[in-house]
């Protein structure tokens, strides 16, 4: 069973009260993470097997003596029914023993569809016929499906009744609508709103064209449409006293305003009219074959294409050998040699089958959800070729913006072609990305210039729904200065390299498997599996919102607070009007600091609510208590927690909650949290759509860094070590991201006192974390020293005066 959800109390019914939901008893966490891999595409053989056996199950059960499903529901002991009705033959029903049922249940949890070899082995161990074992598993699967169908029916009937009541209420309100001018009954549906909207859109397009023509001939930019003046123009200084967090410093009445650009909540994709013509499509189809061949060879070949650095054991691409093996076509133009080459390679085993992986890579939205901390934006611009049978042979023109979770590192934007091909004989899938700007002139270069050379992955199917993924990331990037604190991280290839892609992929595949798991032992205060999924989706949206808001994606600009080159504090403002985040002016601040500790050590401090509550700046002295826990990864730190803030002070009528998700992998760690009210949690747990719940996340990003000696070619492209704690002089970069709702008025102004306060809050947070880590390190060193001294005294006491040790 899937033992991932630990709670403080259990419920007797489906209605969740506030007392049951937020009790303050201690939580016993389950450190195991056991779930079956996600198989959205069941094998064809298994489907045929089930469909064929359903017609013969009743008859063959009597012949083989297997347990019947009706008798299993009564008792777990072995029995025989010798009763018979007049005119019928005597039937014998054999019941399995408790041990037989226990062994088969244990195998069913691990593999609901055992093969012939597994069934034969189990039948020999339990002294059963193979057909009995086969029919028992078939009946068990049928029983599980029937239970799930009954649960779904109950949920659907409840939703249907809710919709009927809401529909009746809305119809009643519509019948009672009156005109505000005359007081009579209003005429609904008589006003042509759609026609007016279409006419406004047509006039707006015509105005844009006229403004473009005027700007072209006059040489001066012309504003297309001015915003309508408001009746009351508020002038408000954003005071930090309205923040949800209480800052220790008093607020001054300074009226100096910060010159900052107010950014909208979203940014549209760049529109350049990029579509391939027919002759370009044929050239792209030819180029995709050579790019796929290049990727496969880069994944499989070693020396002399890849050589290993003896100093740090990392793989480095031999650029000269690569140029000889894969010459650029003569009919395609090349970029300047001033571009810096980044090339990395890595491989890993993920808990997801190849079909699901390929589907995620070919869908831009699923691709963004699979890599929320790397892919800021993605879009399928044009489908050039569809697969003949499924996804194999498909070719797409895509746009993507890749990010590092810090405003100090610019994002990388590129248009590229993505090709997918299946090798049935080898059981592999190849997904390759290659550049389009070599034969298309309408591509506007990004800043900095980023060109994606043939990159991608080779996916090899493995048993039990796993896949082995070999990833190669190869790109050319314009040499632009990066902030010195991120220079090693970017220039070594770890920022956008294969190591980071695979680390995030492994963790997200485990999260998807946890999301789709059905064999959950105890849901506790979470009323249903669907509510559990909604809570996980809400946390996923919180993670994605945090990642996008603290980077430079969508052209988001950040302002430095000082002219110093070592200063890492950046602030920005955004005007939010869409659902999903609090509407109003959002003030964001981000700071990055290097710490001489392993990123796992920093992660363990920040994810633990008991240790984090000791930091006064982070929790304001409030105690945090976990009331719900969902494990979503093999690492104990990969989990979602629902925390109650300050349990001793707030009552059941006034409950403060915090939703937190922590995740870690070989490429870095994340701890993201947001305050949330009880009504929003109840809304998410009632199987409603959680996308309308506003979240404003805060959090920490921890990435490992190490001192990398550059090779003669000036490259440090490699695969990072899996255990940074074992590397001498290793450390990590801690990025702290804060967001606060400064005002609900979109035209509010930003005061200097607000910026000063949030800057001081960032500095105090980093100082508190550094002090806590230093104290923990000193305590561990003192413990080790005392342990060494005690061992030395014990060794000395075991030696006789003549020097002979005791036996």
């Amino acid at each position: 069973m899937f033992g991932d959800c630990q709670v403080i109390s259990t419920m007797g019914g489906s209605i969740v009260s506030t007392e049951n939901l937020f009790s303050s008893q201690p939580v016993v966490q389950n450190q195991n993470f056991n779930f079956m891999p996600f198989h959205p595409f069941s094998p064809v053989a298994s489907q045929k097997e089930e469909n064929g056996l359903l017609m013969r199950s009743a008859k063959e059960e009597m012949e083989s003596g297997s347990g019947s499903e009706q008798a299993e529901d009564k008792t777990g002991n072995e029995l025989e029914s010798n009763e018979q009705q007049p005119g019928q033959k005597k039937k014998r029903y054999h019941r399995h023993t408790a041990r037989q049922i226990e062994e088969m249940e244990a195998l069913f949890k691990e593999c609901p569809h055992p093969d012939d070899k597994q069934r034969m082995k189990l039948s020999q161990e339990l002294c059963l016929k193979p057909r009995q074992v086969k029919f028992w598993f078939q009946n068990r699967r049928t029983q599980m499906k029937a239970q799930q169908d009954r649960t779904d029916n109950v949920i659907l009937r409840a939703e249907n009744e809710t919709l009927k009541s809401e529909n009746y209420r809305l119809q009643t309100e519509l019948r009672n609508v009156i005109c505000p001018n005359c007081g009579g009954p209003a005429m609904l549906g008589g006003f042509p709103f759609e026609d007016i909207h279409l006419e406004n859109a047509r006039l707006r397009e015509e105005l844009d064209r006229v403004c473009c023509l005027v700007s072209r001939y006059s040489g001066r930019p012309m504003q297309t449409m001015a915003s309508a003046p408001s009746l009351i123009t508020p002038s408000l200084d954003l005071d930090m006293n309205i923040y949800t967090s209480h800052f220790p410093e008093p607020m001054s009445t300074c009226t100096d305003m910060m010159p900052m650009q107010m950014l909208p909540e979203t940014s549209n994709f760049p529109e350049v009219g990029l579509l391939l013509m027919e002759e370009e499509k044929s050239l792209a189809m030819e180029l995709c074959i050579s790019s796929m061949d290049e990727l496969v060879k880069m994944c499989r070949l070693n020396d002399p294409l890849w050589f290993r650095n003896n100093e740090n054991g990392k793989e480095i691409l031999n650029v000269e050998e690569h140029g000889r093996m894969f010459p650029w076509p003569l009919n395609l133009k090349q970029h300047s040699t001033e571009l810096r080459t980044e090339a990395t390679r890595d491989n890993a085993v993920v808990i997801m089958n190849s079909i699901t992986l390929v589907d995620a890579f070919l869908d831009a939205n699923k691709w963004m959800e699979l890599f929320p901390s790397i892919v800021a934006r993605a879009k399928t611009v044009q489908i050039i070729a569809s697969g003949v049978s499924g996804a194999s042979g498909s070719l797409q023109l895509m746009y993507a913006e890749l990010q590092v979770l810090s405003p100090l590192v610019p994002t990388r934007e590129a248009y590229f072609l993505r090709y997918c091909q299946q090798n049935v004989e080898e059981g592999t899938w190849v997904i390759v990305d290659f550049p389009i700007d070599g034969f298309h002139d309408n591509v506007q270069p990004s800043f900095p210039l980023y060109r994606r050379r043939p990159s991608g992955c080779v996916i090899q199917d493995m048993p039990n729904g796993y896949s082995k993924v070999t990833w190669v990331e190869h790109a050319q990037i314009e040499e632009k200065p990066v902030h010195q604190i991120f220079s090693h991280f970017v220039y070594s290839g770890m920022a956008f390299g294969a190591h980071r892609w695979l680390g995030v992929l492994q963790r997200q595949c485990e999260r998807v498997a946890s999301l789709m798991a059905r064999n959950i032992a105890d849901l506790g205060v979470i009323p249903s599996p669907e509510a559990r999924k909604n809570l996980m989706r809400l946390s996923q949206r919180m993670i994605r919102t945090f990642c996008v808001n603290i980077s430079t994606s969508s052209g988001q600009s950040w302002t430095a607070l000082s002219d110093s080159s070592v200063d890492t504090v950046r602030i920005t403002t955004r005007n939010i009007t869409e659902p999903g985040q609090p509407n109003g002016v959002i003030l964001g601040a981000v700071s990055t600091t290097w710490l001489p500790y392993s990123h796992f050590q920093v992660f363990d401090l920040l994810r633990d609510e008991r240790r984090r509550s000791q930091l006064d700046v982070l929790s304001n002295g409030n105690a945090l208590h976990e009331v719900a826990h969902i494990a979503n990864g093999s690492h104990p730190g990969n989990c979602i927690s629902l925390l109650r803030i300050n349990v001793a002070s707030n009552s059941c009528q006034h409950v403060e909650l915090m939703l937190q998700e922590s995740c870690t992998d070989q490429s870095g760690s994340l701890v993201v949290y947001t305050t949330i009210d009880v009504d929003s949690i109840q809304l998410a747990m009632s199987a409603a759509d959680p996308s309308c719940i506003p979240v404003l996340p805060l959090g920490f990003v921890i990435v490992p860094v190490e001192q990398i000696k550059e090779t003669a070619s000036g490259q440090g492209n490699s695969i990072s070590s899996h255990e940074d704690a074992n590397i001498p002089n290793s450390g990590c970069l801690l990025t702290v991201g804060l967001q606060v709702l400064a005002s609900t008025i979109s035209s509010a102004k930003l005061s200097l006192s607000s910026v000063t306060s949030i800057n001081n809050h960032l500095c105090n947070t980093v100082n508190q974390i550094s002090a806590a880590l230093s104290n923990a390190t000193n305590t561990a060193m003192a413990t080790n020293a005392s342990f060494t001294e005690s061992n030395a005294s014990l060794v000395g006491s075991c030696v006789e005066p003549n020097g002979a040790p005791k036996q």
Side-chain angles (χ1 to χ4, degrees), residues 142-189:
T142 305
Q143 183 183 10
M144 291 289 292
K145 186 176 184 300
Q147 292 176 355
Q148 184 62 37
D149 291 342
R150 286 193 294 269
T151 304
D152 294 342
N153 289 336
V154 171
I155 296 175
L156 291 176
R157 279 196 292 268
E159 292 180 353
N160 189 23
E161 292 298 329
T162 304
L163 292 176
K164 286 182 179 179
S165 301
E166 184 69 14
N167 188 18
Y168 177 77
R169 184 184 65 82
L170 293 176
Q171 289 181 357
T172 304
E173 292 181 357
L174 287 176
R175 286 194 295 268
N176 297 330
V177 172
I178 61 175
C179 178
N181 296 327
C182 63
M187 298 180 60
L188 301 178

Side-chain angles (χ1 to χ4, degrees), residues 331-456:
N331 56 341
L332 300 180
K333 61 181 181 180
Q334 298 191 48
H335 282 269
S336 173
T337 57
E338 298 177 356
L339 299 180
R340 178 172 56 87
T341 299
E342 288 185 5
T344 54
R345 182 174 69 169
D346 201 356
N347 63 83
V349 176
V350 300
I351 183 171
M352 184 176 287
N353 59 50
S354 60
I355 300 296
T356 310
L357 282 173
V358 170
D359 178 68
F361 279 105
L362 295 182
D363 189 312
N365 294 326
K366 294 181 180 179
W367 189 43
M368 286 190 295
E369 291 297 325
L370 198 59
F371 299 95
S373 59
I374 300 179
V375 183
R377 294 186 298 169
K379 181 181 180 181
T380 301
V381 180
Q382 182 183 9
I383 298 179
I384 301 173
S386 301
V388 179
S389 57
S392 181
S394 62
L395 179 63
Q396 299 178 358
L397 173 61
M398 301 186 68
Y399 163 83
E401 183 180 16
L402 310 181
Q403 63 183 355
V404 171
L405 301 184
S406 173
L408 301 178
V409 181
T411 58
R412 298 181 177 183
E413 301 179 65
Y415 283 91
F416 56 90
L417 292 166
R418 174 164 291 178
Y419 179 68
C420 176
Q421 182 65 46
Q422 182 185 17
N423 190 329
V424 181
E425 297 179 357
E426 298 180 357
T428 60
W429 287 83
V430 179
I431 299 177
V432 58
D433 300 340
F434 55 96
I436 187 179
D437 51 354
F439 57 89
H440 200 286
D441 297 330
N442 291 340
V443 179
Q444 296 181 357
S446 60
F447 180 83
L449 181 61
Y450 172 67
R451 185 166 177 267
R452 192 168 173 82
R453 294 295 300 270
S455 305

